[in-house]
Amino acid sequence: MSQEFERLLLNLSIDIAAAKETPVAIEAIQRFIMTRLKPASVSHLEIEKSNLTKDPIETEWKWSGKDCVLRLDILTPLQFTLKECVHAPLDAHELFSFKKITHIFREKCELLANLKSLTYTDDVTGLYNQRYLELILDRELLLARRNELGFSVLFLDLDHFKNVNDSHGHMIGSRLLYEVAQEIKKTLRESDITFRYGGDEFVMILSHTDLPAAMLVAERVRVQIEKKRFLAREGLDIRLTASIGVASVPDHAETKAQILRAADEALYGVKKAVRNSVIAATNKV
């Protein structure tokens, strides 16, 4: 392996190690290709995973004269097309070193993704947790100010859930919370986000949704939970109901604390009055 190639590999490894996103890694690989092989042109495209027989794909260089196709996987399956390369193909040692560096980047990204999942995901329901709720509310408020579009927050509490835990135990209670989470998710749009707030409380953020529309969604969620026979596959027939408070930006809040407080106060109003119902916040900004 030549000193020049060792220098190129060192630069590539430094760039890859510093890369936090796939596009940055793609740029680093493209710089390496341009310097090492000197093609007249180089382009890349993402490979549709539906067209793959193996995931992740193996790093592969295919040469046809001075043209080359490079396929590799750095979380995103990619194909680079090189035309009229001036320099000779990589030898066995160079290929091994290149493959190892790109593999390290993939492993790093997978590790970071797993760590992020552990940080922001509730381990009982698989939903996002309070920590991630804070981040998403920041984002929604920013978008609301920038685009003058509102959003709504649903605060849900399961009625008398403590009685279920007392009667069936906490293991059953945890499995119930998981099933409730699934019922909520399948009732909402893909763009809506559901969080476990704590205990038997859930929060839903409905992007670009005003108060009347949010009330309809909340009622749909309430009905879905009320009619569900929970843990039927385990031979049980547990019935639950839910109370939901609804608040919207900009109607009831301008800040993160205000929108959560408005939805929580509306929820408190439901539980104090009738339970198994939906109530909107009343205090206007």
Side-chain angles (χ1 to χ4, degrees):
M1 189 184 301
S2 69
Q3 289 185 344
E4 175 63 16
F5 186 77
E6 287 182 353
R7 184 184 65 79
L8 290 176
L9 270 183
L10 177 61
N11 289 337
L12 176 61
S13 62
I14 291 172
D15 290 342
I16 287 284
K20 295 181 180 179
E21 298 177 344
T22 301
V24 179
I26 292 173
E27 290 177 6
I29 292 169
Q30 191 153 314
R31 281 196 301 272
F32 170 83
I33 291 170
M34 292 294 294
T35 306
R36 169 61 181 83
L37 297 172
K38 293 271 192 278
S41 66
V42 57
S43 61
H44 75 270
L45 56 84
E46 294 186 14
I47 305 171
E48 290 289 339
K49 290 198 174 185
S50 59
N51 297 331
L52 300 177
T53 57
K54 188 176 182 180
D55 184 24
I57 62 174
E58 292 291 332
T59 300
E60 181 182 43
W61 299 76
K62 284 190 175 181
W63 285 86
S64 175
K66 293 184 178 181
D67 297 340
C68 176
V69 172
L70 165 62
R71 289 162 59 96
L72 74 163
D73 199 323
I74 49 172
L75 286 189
T76 304
L78 299 168
Q79 179 172 298
F80 289 85
T81 302
L82 292 61
K83 296 291 186 181
E84 293 294 321
C85 295
V86 173
H87 293 168
L90 280 64
D91 63 29
H93 293 296
E94 293 173 339
L95 289 170
F96 176 79
S97 299
F98 175 84
K99 183 176 180 180
K100 190 168 185 179
I101 288 173
T102 54
H103 181 69
I104 287 171
F105 173 78
R106 179 183 175 84
E107 286 187 330
K108 184 187 81 168
C109 289
E110 289 175 340
L111 176 60
L112 289 173
N114 289 335
L115 288 174
K116 184 176 180 180
S117 175
L118 290 172
T119 303
Y120 294 133
T121 305
D122 172 62
D123 57 356
V124 173
T125 62
L127 299 176
Y128 292 117
N129 58 22
Q130 274 194 59
R131 188 178 289 109
Y132 198 60
L133 170 63
E134 298 284 328
L135 297 177
I136 295 300
L137 280 174
D138 286 335
R139 184 196 71 180
E140 290 295 325
L141 285 165
L142 179 63
L143 291 173
R145 295 189 192 105
R146 181 184 299 165
N147 302 322
E148 297 184 355
L149 291 171
F151 68 94
S152 295
V153 171
L154 277 53
F155 217 131
L156 180 151
D157 184 86
L158 297 174
D159 299 325
H160 306 297
F161 192 76
K162 183 179 180 299
N163 295 342
V164 176
N165 277 333
D166 292 343
S167 300
H168 298 278
H170 289 280
M171 288 289 290
I172 293 295
S174 293
R175 286 154 67 187
L176 273 172
L177 289 174
Y178 176 81
E179 283 203 6
V180 168
Q182 301 312 302
E183 290 302 308
I184 294 172
K185 284 176 67 177
K186 77 181 185 183
T187 309
L188 303 181
R189 302 169 301 182
E190 286 189 12
S191 59
D192 301 326
I193 308 177
T194 307
F195 309 81
R196 185 185 179 200
Y197 195 73
D200 57 350
E201 292 182 326
F202 299 84
V203 171
M204 289 144 272
I205 295 182
L206 314 182
S207 298
H208 304 160
T209 305
D210 61 14
L211 184 62
M215 291 292 289
L216 292 175
V217 173
E219 177 62 14
R220 196 161 64 238
V221 171
R222 186 198 67 78
V223 170
Q224 185 69 23
I225 290 173
E226 183 181 37
K227 71 180 185 180
K228 170 74 175 178
R229 295 175 60 236
F230 288 97
L231 299 182
R233 292 182 179 179
E234 285 82 353
L236 299 174
D237 184 9
I238 298 176
R239 301 302 179 101
L240 298 172
T241 59
S243 300
I244 306 174
V246 184
S248 298
V249 171
D251 296 348
H252 308 109
E254 294 177 342
T255 69
K256 184 163 52 177
Q258 287 175 346
I259 188 64
L260 287 175
R261 183 167 60 249
D264 188 36
E265 288 175 354
L267 171 63
Y268 178 75
V270 183
K271 297 186 77 68
K272 187 178 179 181
V274 291
R275 297 182 188 265
N276 190 26
S277 188
V278 175
I279 291 182
T282 55
N283 294 332
K284 300 287 185 177
V285 174

